[in-house]
Amino acid sequence: MNALDVEPWTVERFFAWQEDQEERFELVDGVPLMLAGASQRHDMIAVNVIARLSQGLHGKTGRTFTGHHAVRTGPGRIRRPTVGVDCGRPDPNDYLASAPAVIFEVLSRSTRSDDQLRKLEEYQAIPSLRHLVFVDTLDAVATHWHRPAEGEWKRVAIQGPLGAIELDAIAVTLLMEDVYEGVTFD
C-alpha cells in the first residue's frame, strides 16, 4: 500500500485510537505524530508555569490544562501545547479545550522551529486565543504574542529574570523569575 493512498484521519477517529495509546500524539493534516519526551529543564519550566497559572486562576473561571489535553488548530489538526488555559464550558469527558485563551509552548531543541513557525500560525487562527507564549529552554527568554479583544496580534520579547508576562485576558501576571525558578543554564 502506498502512503499516499491512506485516508486522512478525522478528529473523532484520532481520539478513539488515542485512548489505547501510552504515548502522546498530535494530529497533523490527518496523520497522527508521536510527541518526543522532554528534558528536565523543559519539564521544570512547564511545572513552574502550571503552578503559577493555577495560583493566578484560583477563584476565576479559566482552567489550566497540560499537554495531555488538546486544542483543535484546523481541519485534521490537533495540537498538544505544553500548558494552556481553557475559558470555555467544562466537559470532563472531552479531550479538547473548548475555548483556549492562553497557550504556552516550552521550546525544545528539536521542535523550536516548528513551534515558532508552523504552530504559531495554527494557534493564531484559534478565535478564542488571546495569548501565545513561547518559553525558551536555552536562556531566560520568552516571546509573548497577544491579541486584544479587537485587534491584531502583537509580539513582545521578554528577556531576563526581571521581566513579566502580562496575561490580561485572564488577569494573571507571571514573573520570569517564577517561570525559571530552579532552572540553571550551562
Side-chain angles (χ1 to χ4, degrees), residues 96-179:
L96 285 168
S98 59
V102 177
I103 287 177
F104 277 80
E105 281 288 1
V106 178
L107 302 174
S108 298
R109 288 181 198 262
S110 62
T111 64
R112 68 189 310 110
S113 293
D114 188 51
D115 288 347
Q116 294 180 94
L117 297 172
R118 186 174 185 176
K119 287 185 182 181
L120 169 67
E121 190 175 297
E122 289 180 35
Y123 287 144
Q124 287 182 335
I126 299 171
S128 62
L129 193 66
R130 298 277 306 283
H131 299 276
L132 174 57
V133 183
F134 295 105
V135 181
D136 207 320
T137 55
L138 303 178
D139 200 0
V141 175
T143 303
H144 178 198
W145 289 90
H146 60 96
R147 172 175 53 189
E150 302 292 326
E152 299 294 318
W153 285 99
K154 294 179 178 17
R155 180 184 176 274
V156 175
I158 306 159
Q159 297 184 335
L162 300 179
I165 303 167
E166 302 284 340
L167 305 170
D168 63 334
I170 58 170
V172 173
T173 299
L174 298 183
L175 302 177
M176 289 287 280
E177 66 184 350
D178 292 336
V179 169

Side-chain angles (χ1 to χ4, degrees), residues 8 14 26-33 73 75-79 114 118-119 122:
F14 171 75
E26 291 183 331
L27 185 66
V28 180
D29 298 327
V31 178
L33 298 176
T73 61
R77 287 205 172 112
I78 299 298
R79 296 294 189 171
D114 188 51
R118 186 174 185 176
K119 287 185 182 181
E122 289 180 35

